[in-house]
């Protein structure tokens, strides 16, 4: 009981525990959200600009399916926003379910229960879109179900952030306190029961704090029983550059987990072309392959696919056709590719010109030709 008697003998200590003098270090969760949003939105924006081409014998067929996938998947959503949402959900939540309603509109499910089976089709129950829940069960063959990876990205990021979050928060607090004025107030004994006097004292301290924080010159009147003292701050705090290095380190880890070059995710302008190339090769193309495989499997039967019916997703190119002109000329004149193959690589439609079916070799590429001599087509 001797310990508790301290508070009885020193009643002036009671009210001190109610003063709002200390703040907790923020968890800085917005840096986690910023890193995730930066990476997922970069992927979603890129894929949402793709064109979904339905082909029959290498020719694009612009029918109702083409309209649904490229213009208006449903009455409330444009195609670009629809695919942006699909990719964002796929990357962030690891999976995405797309269903068709009774009017053949494409809808993105917000909630569902997946019942997996080894020998039969998976089933999806309790499918909810916005505020509407479908009462029927959807089978695997009737839906488009996309999976991104084995681990949920949110779990990965949460685990990663446990290492960075406290460090980022602590560094920010230290930076904010650089050059901060520290002060103590000596006060004569105040009765813990005198709530009015305690409240007035708290307000007075708050006014002093506001004056010191907001004004270049602050005068603190001295009163009997009240002494205000300032103390110099010692030690060093991290610079803004060091804080940025830590936050960029967290962004880099998230980018690597998604296959995005860290420098490209940060927006570095040095060597942008190689960054864009690696972004497309290691992040966008694998994701488009998953999407293409699933759509081809669900939109066409085996017989239709082998008969030349398929979906081809044309992503945006990071290089202009004029930048590729020299390479295109070499591929055509050396006989490596014909005109239609080159047009296909450039994302262009096939032409009715029969000469594009031919493989041509110019004289300077012909056997025994002198490369220094000009070439004419044979």
């Amino acid at each position: 009981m001797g310990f508790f008697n301290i508070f009885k003998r020193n009643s002036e200590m009671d009210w001190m525990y109610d003063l709002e003098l200390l703040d907790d270090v923020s968890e800085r969760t917005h840096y986690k959200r910023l890193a995730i949003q930066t990476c997922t939105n970069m992927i979603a924006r890129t894929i949402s600009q793709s064109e979904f081409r339905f082909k029959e014998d290498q020719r694009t067929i612009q029918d109702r399916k083409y309209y649904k996938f490229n213009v208006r998947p449903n009455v409330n959503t444009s195609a670009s926003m629809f695919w942006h949402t699909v990719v964002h959900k796929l990357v962030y939540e690891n999976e995405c379910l797309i269903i068709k309603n009774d009017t053949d509109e494409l809808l993105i499910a917000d909630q569902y229960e997946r019942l997996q089976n080894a020998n039969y089709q998976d089933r999806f129950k309790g499918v909810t879109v916005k505020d509407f829940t479908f009462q029927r069960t959807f089978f695997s063959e009737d839906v488009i179900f996309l999976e991104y990876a084995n681990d949920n990205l949110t779990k990965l990021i949460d685990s990663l952030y446990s290492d960075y979050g406290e460090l980022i928060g602590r560094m920010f607090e230290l930076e904010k306190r650089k050059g901060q004025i520290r002060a103590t107030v000596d006060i004569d004994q105040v009765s813990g029961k005198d709530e009015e006097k305690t409240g007035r004292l708290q307000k007075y301290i708050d006014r002093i704090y506001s004056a010191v924080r907001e004004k270049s010159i602050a005068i603190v009147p001295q009163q009997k029983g009240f002494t205000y003292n300032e103390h110099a701050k010692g030690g060093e705090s991290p610079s803004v550059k060091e804080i940025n290095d830590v936050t960029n380190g967290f962004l880099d880890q998230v980018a690597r987990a998604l296959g995005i070059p860290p420098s490209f995710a940060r927006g570095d302008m040095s060597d942008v072309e190689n960054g864009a190339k690696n972004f497309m090769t290691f992040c966008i193309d694998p994701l488009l392959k998953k999407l293409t495989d699933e759509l081809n499997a669900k939109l066409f039967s085996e017989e239709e696919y082998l008969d030349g019916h398929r979906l081809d997703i044309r992503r945006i190119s990071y290089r202009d056709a004029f930048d590729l002109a020299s390479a295109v000329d070499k591929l055509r004149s050396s006989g490596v590719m014909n005109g239609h193959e080159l047009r296909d690589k450039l994302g262009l439609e096939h032409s009715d010109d029969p000469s594009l079916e031919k493989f041509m070799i110019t004289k300077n590429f012909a056997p025994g030709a002198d490369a220094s001599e000009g070439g004419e087509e044979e």
Side-chain angles (χ1 to χ4, degrees), residues 111-258:
Q111 295 180 4
Y112 53 87
E113 179 185 1
R114 182 187 181 190
L115 305 177
Q116 301 186 59
N117 197 301
N119 298 311
Y120 302 98
Q121 295 185 52
D122 289 349
R123 293 173 296 157
F124 298 87
K125 299 176 62 177
V127 178
T128 301
V129 179
K130 295 183 179 178
D131 58 349
F132 180 79
T133 300
F134 290 86
Q135 299 303 314
R136 66 177 182 268
T137 298
F138 292 85
F139 288 90
S140 180
E141 65 180 4
D142 301 322
V143 302
I144 298 171
F145 183 69
L146 303 166
E147 293 183 279
Y148 183 66
N150 294 327
D151 295 324
N152 192 303
L153 179 62
T154 54
K155 294 180 181 179
L156 173 65
I157 301 305
D158 287 343
S159 175
L160 179 64
Y161 190 75
S162 65
D163 296 329
Y164 278 89
E166 185 177 352
L167 177 60
I168 294 173
R170 180 62 63 184
M171 292 181 72
F172 260 89
E173 290 301 317
L174 292 175
E175 176 63 19
K176 286 168 61 178
R177 290 172 182 166
K178 181 188 291 184
Q180 181 189 52
I181 297 175
R182 306 266 178 102
T184 57
V185 178
D186 296 331
I187 306 171
D188 285 349
Q189 178 174 337
V190 179
S191 174
K193 297 181 180 179
D194 193 346
E195 296 181 359
E196 181 181 355
K197 184 179 291 187
T198 301
R200 289 171 56 194
L201 182 59
Q202 176 67 65
K203 291 180 181 178
Y204 183 61
I205 293 174
D206 290 342
R207 289 198 299 271
I208 293 176
Y209 171 72
S210 298
V212 172
R213 182 183 61 183
E214 298 173 1
K215 298 179 181 180
S216 58
I217 299 177
I219 299 176
V220 180
Q222 298 292 337
Q223 298 183 18
K224 183 179 179 180
F226 182 96
T227 306
Y228 175 83
N229 301 298
E230 289 187 3
H231 305 275
K233 177 186 178 298
E236 297 182 355
S237 65
S239 66
V240 174
K241 182 179 182 302
E242 290 173 323
I243 295 175
N244 289 337
D245 289 341
V246 174
T247 54
N248 283 338
F250 179 65
L251 175 62
D252 290 351
Q253 296 294 338
V254 177
R256 287 191 182 97
L258 295 173

Side-chain angles (χ1 to χ4, degrees), residues 261-278:
S263 60
F264 194 69
R266 292 195 304 270
D268 292 349
M269 299 307 296
S270 59
D271 203 10
V272 175
E273 184 174 335
N274 279 335
K277 180 180 179 180
N278 290 332

Side-chain angles (χ1 to χ4, degrees), residues 317 319-329 346:
S317 176
R319 299 185 67 181
D320 189 89
F322 295 101
D323 296 332
L324 302 172
S326 178
V328 169
D329 175 61
L346 292 172

Side-chain angles (χ1 to χ4, degrees), residues 55 74 100 144 197 223 241 288 298 317 330 342 371:
K55 297 209 166 185
N74 60 63
K100 286 199 304 182
I144 298 171
K197 184 179 291 187
Q223 298 183 18
K241 182 179 182 302
L288 286 178
K298 298 301 175 62
S317 176
K330 290 292 189 293
L342 286 170

